Amino acid sequence: HDCSFDMTAAASTSTIGIATTTTAISTDDVVIARCTFRINSAQGPAIRMADCFNYTIEDNQIRVYDAVTLAEAISVAGVTLNLGTIQRNLIVGQWGATVVIGIAGGDTASTRAVYIADNRFGGLSSSDKFIDTFDSADALIVENYLASVGAGSGGALFTAIT
């Protein structure tokens, strides 16, 4: 925790900020907290959790800027294990950046495996997805907000897979 990741190298979707992507390593009880990810080219996700039991992703800032497209900011999946919390993160696209999916999930294989609460999204277009690709019963979602621009309403509350 308390780290800064400069993901501004040449564009490559295999560039990932933090990843738990192998079952050869015990990745239980992982906490990723208070980190900053700076992304200005088409990279892989800032955080990718795979087959991780009892993880927490909280209080991070993921800033995507310049006219780039990031497919996923946070990605969680796991066929055998996936249980975690994603809370109080800021995911923002600035200076013309596009974040296709803020928090992506898949193959969680467990009902209510991921708790997603109190995250903030900003600078995403109406075609971007804030929380997506989870199966209908995989995630518990509460009080996540999308910031508005200029004369907007100040933030839209969403509590469902978009």
Side-chain angles (χ1 to χ4, degrees):
H1 53 80
D2 296 303
C3 297
S4 179
F5 294 84
D6 182 349
M7 296 174 63
T8 59
S12 172
T13 55
S14 62
T15 299
I16 299 170
I18 298 174
T20 60
T21 56
T22 176
T23 56
I25 300 171
S26 175
T27 55
D28 294 349
D29 305 310
V30 173
V31 175
I32 300 171
R34 297 179 307 277
C35 296
T36 299
F37 299 84
R38 186 168 52 106
I39 304 167
N40 77 341
S41 54
Q43 308 290 9
I47 301 169
R48 175 176 286 159
M49 303 301 283
D51 286 322
C52 188
F53 184 77
N54 196 34
Y55 61 84
T56 301
I57 301 169
E58 65 185 6
D59 302 317
N60 299 290
Q61 289 188 18
I62 301 171
R63 294 187 177 276
V64 184
Y65 63 98
D66 288 340
V68 302
T69 298
L70 183 69
E72 300 170 344
I74 297 174
S75 174
V76 298
V79 176
T80 57
L81 292 172
N82 185 14
L83 179 68
T85 300
I86 303 170
Q87 62 189 6
R88 298 186 313 269
N89 297 286
L90 171 67
I91 299 170
V92 61
Q94 297 173 292
W95 295 354
T98 299
V99 179
V100 178
I101 302 174
I103 301 172
D107 297 325
T108 58
S110 299
T111 302
R112 299 181 303 275
V114 183
Y115 178 76
I116 302 171
D118 198 25
N119 295 285
R120 304 295 193 252
F121 302 89
L124 281 65
S125 74
S126 60
S127 62
D128 296 334
K129 304 290 187 176
F130 316 113
I131 301 169
D132 201 26
T133 65
F134 288 91
D135 289 336
S136 62
D138 288 349
L140 296 164
I141 303 170
V142 63
E143 291 193 8
N144 296 276
Y145 290 89
L146 173 64
S148 60
V149 177
S153 63
L157 171 66
F158 59 97
T159 57
I161 296 168
T162 56

